Amino acid sequence: MVKVPAAAVAAGGLVGGYGVARWTKKRQLGGVVLAAAGVAAARQWREQAGGKAAGALTVAYVAAFAGSHPLAKKVGAWPAVFGVAGAVALASWAVADRHA
């Protein structure tokens, strides 16, 4: 079975969580998507790069979610979400995925 890179899981969680929240108008449902993808990515990060790296990438994931809100006021919601998702994906690839 082909494993989806953690970078794609994390970016997909940020984009998918926002999309689900926006399209369903249920923020909690978007939060479930965001959290589920974050847990899945964190497990992969731990397996691929160890606990410290997984902790740092998890902090980056949560910070990206939080940071997308004020960024959205400046550049718009979708550009902010895609920007932070790209940043998390790049960090994930650099720290964990490229070594797998």
Side-chain angles (χ1 to χ4, degrees):
M1 186 164 91
V2 176
K3 193 173 207 178
V4 177
V9 173
L14 289 162
V15 172
Y18 175 69
V20 166
R22 181 168 180 149
W23 292 318
T24 65
K25 302 201 184 316
K26 297 186 187 306
R27 294 177 71 185
Q28 297 85 354
L29 191 55
V32 169
V33 172
L34 179 80
V39 168
R43 285 184 180 152
Q44 283 186 256
W45 292 328
R46 188 179 61 243
E47 290 172 8
Q48 294 170 350
K52 286 183 183 181
L57 287 167
T58 300
V59 168
Y61 184 78
V62 173
F65 166 70
S68 69
H69 292 82
L71 182 60
K73 292 179 181 180
K74 296 180 188 240
V75 300
W78 281 113
V81 171
F82 284 128
V84 300
V88 168
L90 182 60
S92 176
W93 176 82
V95 173
D97 290 333
R98 74 177 171 154
H99 302 296

